Amino acid sequence: MSQSLSIVRDLAKHREASVLVMLAAVAIYLAFASDYFLEPRNLLNVGRQASVVAIVALGQALVIIARGIDLSVGSVIGLSAVVGAILMRDTGSETIGLLGGLATGLACGVVNGLLYTRLRINPFIATLGTLSVARGIALLLTGGIPLPFGGFAEFVGAGRIYNIPVSFLLMIVLAIIVHIFAVKTVTGREIYAIGDNPKASRLAGVNIRSIRLFVFALSGLLAGLGGLILAGNLASADPNLGVGYELDVIAAVILGGTALSGGRGSIIGALLMALLNNAFVLLGISAYWQVVTKGLVIIFAVGLDGLQRRGDDD
Amino acid sequence: MYSNGKTSTAGNEPVAGILPSGPLLRARGIAKSFAGNVVLHSADLDLYPGEVVGLLGENGAGKSTLMHILSGGLQPDAGTVEMHGQPTHFNTVLDGIEAGISFVHQELSVIGALTVAENLHLGHMPKTRAGFVDFQKMRDEAVALLNRVGAGGIDPRHEAGTLRAGEQQLIEIAKAAGRNPRLLILDEPTSSLTPHEVEGFFAYVRAARAAGTAIIFITHRLEEVLKLCDRLVVLRNGAIVSERRPAETTRQQLITDMTGKPAIYEYRERQIPDKTVALSLQRVRDRDHLEDISLEVRKGEIMGLFGLVGAGRTELLEVIHGARPLASGKIALFGTPVSHRDPSAAVRNGIALVPEGRKTAGILPQHSVRDNAAISSLRRFSGRLFSDLRGDVTRMEDYRDRLGIRMARDTQPISTLSGGNQQKVVFARALMVDPSILLLDEPTHGVDVGAKSDLYEIVAREAERGLTVLMASSEVPEILALCDRVAILSKGRLAGILSREEMSEDRILTMAFMEH
């Protein structure tokens, strides 16, 4: 009895705990409210919906842990998909198309990183700029018209292995890799150090410029990957792909337990976001309510955590 | 002059300053424990109007706990507090303020985005008849207040965040002075003030004493309490161990009272057999501050770097460490010219820094003790793919023993350690790099007497093993206790270098003031 109590207490110390509780609550409610929720097909659908947000959130989490923010990911998703589709169409090579799409994401991330570390533009502003520029380029390149997208990307975006969505499996693999990277490598540990106290880290010999550049580049690369998966899933590279994704991604990171002032990260938050999306579809509720509820969930989850930590400044 | 009629004892009470006898405040048997740890055992303290009491003790001796209890921020487990002979009980800090007790904390609480005048009037801004803030009146009052504490040079229209730490400290003091307290508690008020500002601040304290205010002055600087205070109270391990008159005691005596040990670290004469020049600077300049500084430090030597605030000590260390660009001149390590564009490059080349400002530039507050110690040497010990997490554990054990770091576990957040232990962890971090040059910037700032002498011991020991040390300090006793030579900076220029035989407090200060 006392042991189980202490487990509860340990759980309560982590921000993930309140998200987990909410995740369970939504799932249990849906299990009763909808006949379809527990169907394997639907559960897998939830997994698929979660995967793009979660993959992009992996990069975003590292950026936020290092005290940055990347608002451009939604536009990078769109631009990468469009560039990938154009290269695929013009060269006829799927490999070039996919690599080109990833390179586009990486390039966007590097630009963000350079704007921050070399020109010393606040990352909020710098990535707000690239958000607009990248979306504009995607629209210019396509004239606003979606391009067909298929092949291997379609397999990753919409395919299954043993009935499990490929994108979901990819997300799990990437999450494990990023987690090990963050905790076990020197660069990963330095990312956490920078988020905790950038000045002290710099004076201690951490090359904060190159680390910051690296996290933004990685965030761009993963957003590029997310763009290819999303386009593959839809079999179409729409220049408006990923509009508004930055909010879902940042929300997922924050729900996952990363403080905006630097801290830890996890991908549970992305699952909750996907579950909520799914809930609205299954329950047949207006999409507008979906937007309202997402905001409320963030405020509630983070607010719960803030209440537990009260005493920091009052 | 005093906030009138707000205390429970008001009414038939004469004005406090004129009351000839009887203490303003009498504390008896104050005891306090936190989670089973006794922090204060039955402390008795009397405070009289018009008296300045110096409160001394190492970090963790119970000084701030006692002050928080007197000012209402903490409730004692046992004991009584009387004001003017009447039993008093403060539930909150506000109760204490109402009763005329003001506590100026060591941590600055100035709001950076507001002007100085707004900071001084926070919570009670004067209003015009129309209900708007009366800025003119606020500014005039601010000027008067700042003048009172010797900070007449601060423009009340400036944003407080743009001011130096010392100026912000004076604003805190002015804020407390504005309440015209009966009891004023000052926790390390002078730690970031220039010598000139200290004089102005002392003048205020003396004026407040003359007006009948009781003042408690907490500091680690013994020269100051000996100069300013009427009575010195020493706390050790939660108990008051001595009360002395400044005229009848000495530094040595006070240190013995504080630490329970007879002496603090003293300079040890040493031979530096190695004539190798470890670090040489030739006509070093930065973009705006330093001018033509040339300096050679030999291997195993402890070189002091003294100067007043603004002399360029920190800037010079930053240039050597790659944190500040070198505009012209040459820096060489063991004869090899180097130019570091980033501290990471300097650390790779064996130049480690213990920076000024433990909280802002030293510790990673959310990280564990172990991670804090390891951060500089991650790359040195890393495998091809993964960081050497296991090695971190053994290295931490090693340095815990070598530097005498006191902690429960090395996984506890560093912010839970005392200031002196935090600083030892920052030292461990620098030493784990296995540096050939160690740069120290105010290494014992805000550290108690016991930890201070531990740190001196560490520096001397490492120097004896061949480490070259360049130590910037604004405390002459520290330079005298540790350094083989001292370079004195004044307004960004090298004013001179004194050998051990030439060193004295007088000569060092004279040279530091040279270009003023």
Side-chain angles (χ1 to χ4, degrees), chain A residues 196-230:
Chain A
D196 195 354
N197 186 344
K199 189 174 180 194
S201 302
R202 173 163 181 260
L203 294 177
V206 176
N207 193 334
I208 62 174
R209 272 204 215 165
S210 65
I211 300 277
R212 280 175 171 157
L213 181 60
F214 174 83
V215 290
F216 275 97
L218 185 67
S219 174
L221 179 65
L222 289 172
L225 178 63
L228 297 180
I229 297 171
L230 206 54

Side-chain angles (χ1 to χ4, degrees), chain B residues 371-390:
Chain B
D371 286 343
N372 263 282
I375 187 67
S376 284
S377 48
L378 291 180
R379 291 189 186 271
R380 179 173 174 223
F381 295 111
S382 174
R384 190 168 294 167
L385 213 52
F386 293 117
S387 189
D388 182 20
L389 293 162
R390 259 187 227 145

Side-chain angles (χ1 to χ4, degrees), chain B residues 214-286:
Chain B
I215 293 157
I216 298 180
F217 182 33
I218 302 175
T219 184
H220 290 304
R221 296 186 175 175
L222 297 177
E223 306 77 46
E224 290 183 352
V225 285
L226 288 168
K227 207 162 140 192
L228 186 69
C229 297
D230 302 307
R231 184 158 57 105
L232 303 175
V233 175
V234 179
L235 267 172
R236 184 170 82 224
N237 296 331
I240 290 174
V241 292
S242 76
E243 293 205 23
R244 300 181 187 278
R245 301 270 162 202
E248 297 156 11
T249 188
T250 60
R251 274 177 65 91
Q252 275 314 322
Q253 181 65 58
L254 292 170
I255 289 168
T256 311
D257 288 349
M258 278 192 273
T259 60
K261 284 177 260 172
I264 191 175
Y265 182 87
E266 271 180 31
Y267 182 75
R268 282 199 295 264
E269 203 59 52
R270 0 187 237 115
Q271 298 297 318
I272 303 166
D274 204 331
K275 299 283 183 212
T276 321
V277 174
L279 174 70
S280 90
L281 310 180
Q282 272 178 52
R283 305 179 67 84
V284 162
R285 276 169 181 263
D286 69 346

Side-chain angles (χ1 to χ4, degrees), chain B residues 75 87 164 342 407 440:
Chain B
Q75 304 304 317
R164 282 188 299 105
D342 190 85
M407 59 188 172
L440 304 173

Side-chain angles (χ1 to χ4, degrees), chain B residues 485-506:
Chain B
R485 285 192 298 156
V486 59
I488 294 129
L489 297 183
S490 175
K491 289 202 165 168
R493 289 171 185 274
L494 185 64
I497 297 177
L498 296 176
S499 69
R500 186 71 216 170
E501 298 75 46
E502 299 165 321
M503 254 188 240
S504 72
E505 178 144 14
D506 261 8

Side-chain angles (χ1 to χ4, degrees), chain B residues 448-466:
Chain B
D448 67 49
V449 177
K452 229 178 213 182
S453 75
D454 286 355
L455 290 172
Y456 294 159
E457 193 63 53
I458 292 164
V459 173
R461 205 176 54 208
E462 294 298 329
E464 270 152 31
R465 295 165 62 168

